[in-house]
Amino acid sequence: MEKKPRFVRRELPPREVSSVSLAALLAAVLLLNALLYLYLNKFYTSSGHAETDAGLCSLGYFRLGAAKNCSPWLSCEAIDREVRKLKCVGEGAVKKVFLSEWKENKVVLSQLTNSELKEDFLHGLKMLKALQSKHVVRLLGYCEQQFTILTEYHPLGSLRGLNETLHIPKYKGMNTWQRRLMLAIDYVSVIRYLHSSPLGTLVMCDSNDLDKVLSQYLLTSDFHILVNDLDALPLVNRSAGRLVKCGHRELQGEFVAPEQRWPYGEEVPFEDDLMPPYDEKTDIWKIPDVSNFFLGHVEGSDIVRLHLFDIHAACKKKDPAERPSAQEVLDTYRKVLTLLLREVAMPGTREML
C-alpha cells in the first residue's frame, strides 16, 4: 500500500526571522530619523530662523510685509512725514510705545519719556542697529535728535501674554509640549546669540524677575521669539578684566543669580561701590525658570522637564564657572526635542532594539 505524500510546513529558522524583523525595524528607524531631520531642519530654517537668514537685508535696510525690495531705514524727515500714530500701547521707565502706520503697514513707534534716561535709550538704539538678525526685532528707522525708534509690529505682543494667546481658539492647536519646547529653544537661541554677538559677550540685564524677562521679548505670529528691548545690555570682556553689574541698586530674590545678590549680609548696608561685578552666567541661572514658564502644564510637559533636569541643575550651580554655556544648553534642548519626537513617532523602539 502506497504511502500518501506528506506535506510538511517548513518554517524559517528563528535566526532568519529575527534578521528579517531587525532589518525591517532598522529601515523604519532610518526612515524615521530622515523624517525627523527634515522636520527639525524645517523648524530651524523656517520663518527667518535659519542660522543665516537669507531674508534679512543689508545693514541699514529693511523689508516689510510682502515687499520684494529692501528699503533704507527711515530718517527723521521720513518718520515725521510718513508715519502716523494710532494709539499708545505701552509705557515703561524709558519710553512710550505707539501702534502706528506706515504705508498701510502697522509699525511700532517708541519715544523717550524720561530725559534722565536718554543714555539708556540711545544705548538700546545702538544695540538694535548693531544686532539686527533673526533673533532681534526688525528696525525700520530712527531719529536720534527726537529720541524716536521705529520697529516692526507683532500683534501677539510680548511673551507675558503667551498663556492667554494659547487659549484663544485660533491658537489652541499650538498649546502642546512640542511647540512650548520649541519656544524655549528659541529663547535659549537668543541668549546664545547675545553671548556670542558681533559686539562680544552681552548680558541681558533687564531680567530681575520673570515678568520683566518676558516683557523684553515678542511672540511672532508664526510662534517664534524675538528680543525687543535692548536698553540694558552691557558688555563682558574677560581678556580686559571687564565684568558687569545690572544697575546700581540691590537685587534680591531667588530669580536673580547668587552673584547678583549682596554678599555681605544684612548687617552691612548695601553700597554699589562694594558690590562685586559678574559675567554672562547670570543669564544661564535664569534659563530653567523661564523655560518652566514656557513648558506650562500641558500633557507631556512633565516628561520634558524630566529630560531637562540635569542641564537645569547645572544651570543652577552656585559657582558661575560651573554652569554650562548657552550653546551647551541649546544643544541639550535640541537633543531632547529630537529624542522625544522620535519616541512619540515610534514608541517602544528602544525596547525592540
Side-chain angles (χ1 to χ4, degrees):
M1 189 174 186
E2 277 187 26
K3 290 184 179 179
K4 292 184 179 180
R6 297 177 63 188
F7 294 95
V8 179
R9 182 180 174 183
R10 299 184 63 188
E11 296 184 358
L12 291 172
R15 182 175 296 178
E16 189 174 346
V17 174
S18 177
S19 299
V20 171
S21 300
L22 184 58
L25 177 60
L26 289 174
V29 170
L30 289 173
L31 176 61
L32 173 64
N33 285 337
L35 292 173
L36 277 172
Y37 172 81
L38 292 173
Y39 172 76
L40 292 171
N41 188 58
K42 181 180 179 182
F43 163 65
Y44 292 128
T45 60
S46 67
S47 309
H49 280 68
E51 285 304 318
T52 55
D53 188 352
L56 285 175
C57 300
S58 302
L59 187 64
Y61 292 80
F62 71 92
R63 180 164 48 227
L64 195 61
K68 294 183 179 179
N69 299 319
C70 294
S71 302
W73 286 339
L74 301 186
S75 63
C76 297
E77 296 76 16
I79 291 174
D80 288 340
R81 185 177 62 252
E82 301 172 13
V83 176
R84 181 170 64 95
K85 289 181 185 177
L86 299 178
K87 63 177 180 179
C88 179
V89 293
E91 183 173 2
V94 179
K95 52 187 177 285
K96 186 177 286 188
V97 180
F98 296 90
L99 175 62
S100 306
E101 190 174 53
W102 175 74
K103 294 186 177 181
E104 300 183 349
N105 292 292
K106 295 285 175 59
V107 294
V108 173
L109 188 71
S110 301
Q111 291 184 317
L112 178 69
T113 54
N114 185 346
S115 60
E116 294 180 0
L117 298 175
K118 64 182 180 181
E119 293 302 321
D120 292 338
F121 185 90
L122 293 175
H123 177 74
L125 173 58
K126 177 185 176 182
M127 294 294 104
L128 197 54
K129 290 192 291 184
L131 298 176
Q132 284 295 288
S133 69
K134 58 182 176 145
H135 301 293
V136 179
V137 69
R138 190 168 298 164
L139 179 63
L140 309 180
Y142 63 92
C143 180
E144 287 193 35
Q145 297 92 317
Q146 299 175 14
F147 297 99
T148 299
I149 300 173
L150 193 70
T151 54
E152 189 175 16
Y153 172 63
H154 293 279
L156 295 183
S158 80
L159 288 176
R160 285 190 293 190
L162 174 63
N163 288 324
E164 289 76 10
T165 297
L166 289 171
H167 283 94
I168 297 173
K170 179 180 178 181
Y171 298 112
K172 277 190 174 179
M174 297 284 197
N175 197 17
T176 64
W177 69 261
Q178 294 95 326
R179 178 56 61 178
R180 284 176 170 272
L181 178 54
M182 287 176 181
L183 288 174
I185 289 173
D186 258 6
Y187 167 71
V188 178
S189 296
V190 174
I191 299 299
R192 188 276 310 268
Y193 174 66
L194 294 178
H195 288 185
S196 57
S197 82
L199 301 177
T201 302
L202 299 167
V203 181
M204 193 65 175
C205 266
D206 263 345
S207 57
N208 296 337
D209 57 62
L210 178 61
D211 191 65
K212 187 64 175 175
V213 170
L214 299 176
S215 71
Q216 309 301 305
Y217 297 85
L218 295 172
L219 180 65
T220 68
S221 297
D222 58 353
F223 272 71
H224 283 288
I225 291 174
L226 299 173
V227 63
N228 180 52
D229 196 331
L230 304 175
D231 295 346
L233 211 60
L235 178 69
V236 168
N237 187 340
R238 282 195 188 83
S239 60
R242 181 179 176 182
L243 300 177
V244 305
K245 287 192 286 188
C246 291
H248 304 287
R249 291 180 292 183
E250 182 177 0
L251 301 178
Q252 296 177 326
E254 292 299 315
F255 188 83
V256 297
E259 64 271 22
Q260 292 184 281
R261 302 172 210 153
W262 180 242
Y264 302 118
E266 295 181 1
E267 62 277 5
V268 180
F270 177 82
E271 285 188 42
D272 183 46
D273 291 341
L274 298 179
M275 180 67 197
Y278 35 82
D279 62 18
E280 78 281 1
K281 290 300 184 74
T282 59
D283 289 333
I284 304 300
W285 170 273
K286 297 160 189 173
I287 286 176
D289 299 292
V290 180
S291 290
N292 186 56
F293 167 80
F294 284 130
L295 292 175
H297 300 285
V298 297
E299 183 180 356
S301 62
D302 286 341
I303 298 297
V304 178
R305 287 185 179 90
L306 184 63
H307 281 79
L308 296 177
F309 180 85
D310 288 342
I311 191 67
H312 282 173
C315 291
K316 291 293 188 179
K317 294 280 189 180
K318 188 172 182 179
D319 182 356
E322 295 181 4
R323 297 174 204 154
S325 67
Q327 182 65 63
E328 290 170 323
V329 178
L330 180 60
D331 290 343
T332 301
Y333 274 38
R334 286 174 170 171
K335 287 176 183 176
V336 167
L337 175 62
T338 303
L339 170 68
L340 292 178
L341 287 175
R342 183 183 292 122
E343 290 185 353
V344 168
M346 288 189 69
T349 301
R350 187 181 302 168
E351 289 76 6
M352 293 170 70
L353 289 173

